[in-house]
Amino acid sequence: MIAAPSEFDVHLFHEGKLYQAHKLFGSHLIKKRSATLLTRFTVWAPHAVSVSVVGNFNNWDPGAHPLEKLNNEGIWSIGVERDLEGEVYKYSIQTASGDVVLKADPYAFYSELRPNTASIVYDTKGYTWNDKLYRQRVRRRRPVYERPLAIYELHLNSWKQKEDGSYYTYRELADELIPYIKDRGFTHIEILPLTEHPLDASWGYQGIGYFSPTARFGTPHDLMYFIDHCHQEDIGVLLDWVPGHFCKDAQGLYMFDGEPTYEYDTFSDRENIEWGTANFNLAKGEVRSFLISNALYWIETFKIDGLRVDAVANMLYWANSEPAAVNPYTIEFLKELNTAVFNEHPQFLMMAEDSTDWSNVTTPVHEGGLGFNYKWNMGWMNDVLDYMERSPFERKHHHHKMTFSLVYAYSENFILPLSHDEVVHGKRSLLHKMPGDYWEKFAQLRLLLSFMIVHPGKKLLFMGAEFGQYDEWKFVQGLDWFLKEYDSHAKTDVFTKDLLAFYLGQKALYQLDHEPEGFEWIDADNAEQSIYTFIRKGKRKSDTLVIACNFTGITYETFKVGVPMKGKWTEVFNSNRTEYGGSGHFHETNTETENVSIHNRDQAISISIPPFGMTVWKPYK
């Protein structure tokens, strides 16, 4: 016999407001003075006739440890008077139709390595964190909106593999990955989903164990070690998170007790046909408690710094509806999720991957918004890549694609993503997308990355682009690290490091990222030459940058640009330097303004504009 959860906890769970549901449900070691008295199992199975916990410890006998039904709404529990830490288990559920199904624990903290599918009793307590200084710095820092944010997106399976094709562990990645990120100047890493999932090819986006870090790379404590060491090197850790849909494998959440439990009741609402998954039923309080608890569990147990919420566009509208109809339960859920997160963790990052034109995604809930603090700018990504893939001679006819984003740049807090989705399934790598010969491809990759850095918005780059991965993302094997032995790729790697160092050192590129005062066009209409000139501003006049981007292979030895102030200007960055693989058109000396009326200004500087290059100028102190 085990004490039932309190009536208040049960009420909150069913209402959708038990935000620590993982402390009640799942398997827990009940201890007294470090001695384990029993192992408690609690599960929600509202349609079940009976539930038992089975595992090696009872020879998988469903009659050995039946759970007691605690209320009429489907909460079952048992206390097994043994220390079962490390034991594998499942729930044996008899359905209303008389079938018996074996299910992994929805709240399990650890799971077997695929292809095995059982849950494992695991105590997440006991890891000693050493990132106190990092967390103190985060609390003291200015809001993220005024700071640089450069995210390195990666897939742990395929970032790097050992010679035999096996994966690096979380602890080994601490030694391999963290110095690499630190050396290149990224402020954060964003990891594709780490929730346990049965199929490698889903990249983690079709999960089963929402509370289980995947066993592919080690234990939950091993993941804590990795995150802890990221923090010690001042690197934030973001995770992709999928609250919209889940995998339909037999051991998972799908038809958990023989009937729709975590998913919608009707076929049309339930089935996510495009991905072969099931949509979470966000109308159910128990499902909202599950998901919001899950978000807080990752934050509080693993001390992550942000969640990128996947496929928000697919959540906002009912599945399979024609015409598209808004799902009001999603709106309610997202608002409740973000409110719960920011009430407890105001410095946290909640980022929406949303390709719709839904308004106020990054407006606080109390002001009528969905409550995220960032949204991926999918429109910018689509327009920029469409433009870059065109012949340089054709670009003048599509000049607006590079300027349109500034029409709406301040409608949300945007992240500019060049993500995994753009370099897979036949889309080619960023380098391979670029038209022209070998040299021109590398020059235009440098220009693309430069344009992302100087455009308003925070930055995200998928792994491999930093050194010019030529093949598209091959998620079954590691990146082509051997390419760095070749001159052009090695120089691209140097360029990326210098570009990020430049970004981190220039307040004009991040301080007013989300304020219209931080950007001003010099000439947005030079379609004939495919040259864009503009100004980025910080809070101080002396931080001002004048930027020129040339999207053709033509060199301009003398090009006049109107500037906002008189005096000497110095070139502070040039993507065309020889050490980056460029042709070497850059300025070694300062240039003085001329009293020339151009671009609606009475001062101008004469500069050299390199082919497929970006050059940046700053007032000389």
Side-chain angles (χ1 to χ4, degrees):
M1 190 71 178
I2 183 173
S6 73
E7 290 185 7
F8 187 60
D9 281 346
V10 170
H11 169 75
L12 290 177
F13 174 67
H14 293 305
E15 191 181 51
K17 297 187 180 299
L18 185 62
Y19 299 155
Q20 299 290 324
H22 53 285
K23 295 182 179 179
L24 171 62
F25 292 91
S27 62
H28 294 272
L29 301 169
I30 308 303
K31 298 182 179 183
K32 184 175 182 180
R33 297 190 185 94
S34 76
T36 299
L37 301 179
L38 55 83
T39 306
R40 185 186 71 199
F41 297 89
T42 307
V43 66
W44 175 59
H47 310 106
V49 174
S50 66
V51 180
S52 298
V53 61
V54 295
N56 291 336
F57 59 90
N58 64 10
N59 296 316
W60 298 87
D61 177 8
H65 293 104
L67 277 66
E68 177 185 357
K69 191 173 184 180
L70 300 183
N71 67 4
N72 292 326
E73 294 160 306
I75 297 178
W76 304 74
S77 192
I78 188 176
V80 179
E81 294 182 355
R82 288 175 58 184
D83 183 345
L84 296 179
E85 184 167 16
E87 293 283 353
V88 299
Y89 71 99
K90 284 187 177 180
Y91 293 116
S92 175
I93 301 174
Q94 183 181 356
T95 71
S97 65
D99 296 328
V100 175
V101 293
L102 283 176
K103 291 288 188 176
D105 189 343
Y107 287 88
F109 296 145
Y110 191 33
S111 303
E112 286 188 296
L113 177 63
R114 50 100 177 90
N116 296 329
T117 59
S119 303
I120 300 175
V121 179
Y122 191 90
D123 188 356
T124 58
K125 300 182 181 68
Y127 179 80
T128 302
W129 290 83
N130 295 292
D131 65 345
K132 183 178 179 180
L133 291 178
Y134 170 81
R135 286 183 277 122
Q136 288 176 343
R137 286 196 298 270
V138 168
R139 286 193 294 269
R140 290 197 302 262
R141 282 172 175 162
R142 290 177 177 271
V144 66
Y145 311 112
E146 299 179 17
R147 292 189 283 109
L149 182 61
I151 302 166
Y152 185 77
E153 186 194 32
L154 74 152
H155 179 237
L156 289 189
N157 308 46
S158 57
W159 178 71
K160 182 183 285 188
Q161 294 180 2
K162 298 179 182 178
E163 289 185 6
D164 62 0
S166 62
Y167 301 150
Y168 285 87
T169 67
Y170 291 121
R171 289 178 181 262
E172 289 170 337
L173 283 164
D175 295 331
E176 289 283 328
L177 177 61
I178 294 173
Y180 183 83
I181 299 300
K182 183 78 172 177
D183 184 49
R184 271 139 197 86
F186 289 96
T187 64
H188 292 70
I189 58 172
E190 180 181 317
I191 308 173
L192 272 60
L194 289 181
T195 48
E196 194 56 83
H197 52 283
L199 182 65
D200 289 355
S202 79
W203 317 332
Y205 289 99
Q206 296 187 12
I208 282 184
Y210 270 67
F211 289 83
S212 295
T214 179
R216 287 166 174 80
F217 316 108
T219 69
H221 282 166
D222 293 335
L223 176 56
M224 293 176 192
Y225 176 94
F226 172 76
I227 295 171
D228 189 10
H229 281 72
C230 285
H231 287 172
Q232 290 175 44
E233 294 298 330
D234 206 26
I235 298 167
V237 179
L238 316 173
L239 297 183
D240 278 13
W241 187 61
V242 189
H245 64 110
F246 56 88
C247 167
K248 291 168 61 175
D249 282 34
Q251 73 272 19
L253 300 175
Y254 190 67
M255 298 293 178
F256 185 74
D257 54 12
E259 299 181 38
T261 305
Y262 287 87
E263 60 273 78
Y264 288 105
D265 293 338
T266 63
F267 180 89
S268 61
D269 295 336
R270 175 173 65 243
E271 296 300 315
N272 195 313
I273 295 171
E274 180 181 0
W275 295 321
T277 54
N279 296 311
F280 276 109
N281 184 346
L282 299 177
K284 286 187 179 179
E286 298 89 349
V287 174
R288 295 196 301 275
S289 287
F290 173 81
L291 289 171
I292 296 174
S293 294
N294 185 246
L296 291 169
Y297 165 78
W298 284 100
I299 298 169
E300 294 165 0
T301 303
F302 293 94
K303 303 187 186 300
I304 62 169
D305 302 279
L307 289 171
R308 177 266 203 181
V309 180
D310 181 63
V312 170
N314 287 272
M315 297 173 65
L316 288 171
Y317 297 92
W318 285 109
N320 313 312
S321 63
E322 290 291 344
V326 172
N327 183 339
Y329 302 114
T330 294
I331 311 306
E332 178 185 349
F333 165 72
L334 293 176
K335 289 183 176 182
E336 188 173 356
L337 166 70
N338 286 320
T339 298
V341 167
F342 290 125
N343 278 349
E344 297 296 326
H345 307 281
Q347 299 286 345
F348 199 70
L349 297 177
M350 288 293 285
M351 302 169 291
E353 188 230 1
D354 176 25
S355 57
T356 73
D357 60 358
W358 194 276
S359 60
N360 298 319
V361 172
T362 58
T363 298
V365 171
H366 67 269
E367 295 179 14
L370 293 184
F372 291 93
N373 48 15
Y374 276 102
K375 172 179 173 173
W376 277 24
N377 193 337
M378 311 298 280
W380 175 88
M381 177 273 298
N382 283 315
D383 284 347
V384 167
L385 292 183
D386 179 78
Y387 179 88
M388 293 300 300
E389 290 184 68
R390 295 178 184 274
S391 160
F393 304 104
E394 186 188 353
R395 287 173 179 164
K396 63 184 178 182
H397 303 298
H398 301 273
H399 193 76
H400 66 284
K401 285 189 174 291
M402 302 296 270
T403 60
F404 181 64
S405 58
L406 271 302
V407 174
Y408 62 86
Y410 304 103
S411 62
E412 303 279 3
N413 300 326
F414 282 120
I415 288 174
L416 309 180
L418 293 174
S419 76
H420 67 279
D421 277 329
E422 315 321 318
V423 294
V424 72
H425 296 323
K427 295 180 183 177
R428 300 173 297 167
S429 69
L430 293 183
L431 177 63
H432 199 181
K433 290 177 192 287
M434 301 299 105
D437 62 27
Y438 193 68
W439 184 90
E440 290 171 333
K441 283 181 178 294
F442 279 95
Q444 289 174 92
L445 175 63
R446 295 194 302 272
L447 178 56
L448 169 62
L449 300 182
S450 298
F451 186 73
M452 175 180 71
I453 289 295
V454 297
H455 189 287
K458 306 307 182 185
K459 327 299 177 186
L460 180 142
L461 185 66
F462 186 57
M463 64 182 194
E466 72 274 14
F467 62 83
Q469 170 86 7
Y470 192 80
D471 286 347
E472 71 174 21
W473 175 36
K474 297 167 286 191
F475 49 85
V476 296
Q477 65 187 73
L479 295 174
D480 293 331
W481 294 103
F482 68 88
L483 290 175
K484 293 178 70 173
E485 299 173 10
Y486 294 88
D487 189 61
S488 293
H489 296 276
K491 288 180 175 179
T492 299
D493 192 39
V494 171
F495 161 78
T496 306
K497 287 193 285 186
D498 284 0
L499 180 65
L500 284 170
F502 175 68
Y503 169 62
L504 297 177
Q506 300 295 329
K507 292 181 180 179
L509 295 179
Y510 57 79
Q511 203 170 52
L512 299 176
D513 247 335
H514 311 301
E515 304 293 334
E517 295 78 17
F519 180 91
E520 183 180 349
W521 282 112
I522 295 174
D523 187 357
D525 301 317
N526 189 353
E528 190 60 35
Q529 294 175 301
S530 296
I531 292 176
Y532 302 81
T533 51
F534 51 90
I535 302 169
R536 291 299 308 274
K537 303 174 185 177
K539 293 183 178 180
R540 298 186 307 177
K541 193 174 181 180
S542 58
D543 292 327
T544 300
L545 299 176
V546 165
I547 298 158
C549 297
N550 176 16
F551 287 90
T552 73
I554 299 171
T555 301
Y556 298 90
E557 297 293 351
T558 303
F559 191 95
K560 290 197 183 313
V561 178
V563 294
M565 62 191 79
K566 185 176 182 179
K568 290 183 178 180
W569 289 73
T570 186
E571 186 183 77
V572 289
F573 195 85
N574 190 319
S575 68
N576 192 54
R577 297 181 72 94
T578 52
E579 56 264 43
Y580 305 149
S583 59
H585 289 83
F586 63 92
H587 293 257
E588 295 185 2
T589 59
N590 299 328
T591 186
E592 190 86 35
T593 54
E594 307 169 45
N595 295 320
V596 174
S597 181
I598 188 174
H599 300 140
N600 295 316
R601 290 173 171 81
D602 56 11
Q603 295 291 314
I605 54 175
S606 293
I607 64 175
S608 170
I609 294 187
F612 297 122
M614 179 190 79
T615 181
V616 184
W617 294 78
K618 190 173 185 178
Y620 181 71
K621 296 179 181 179

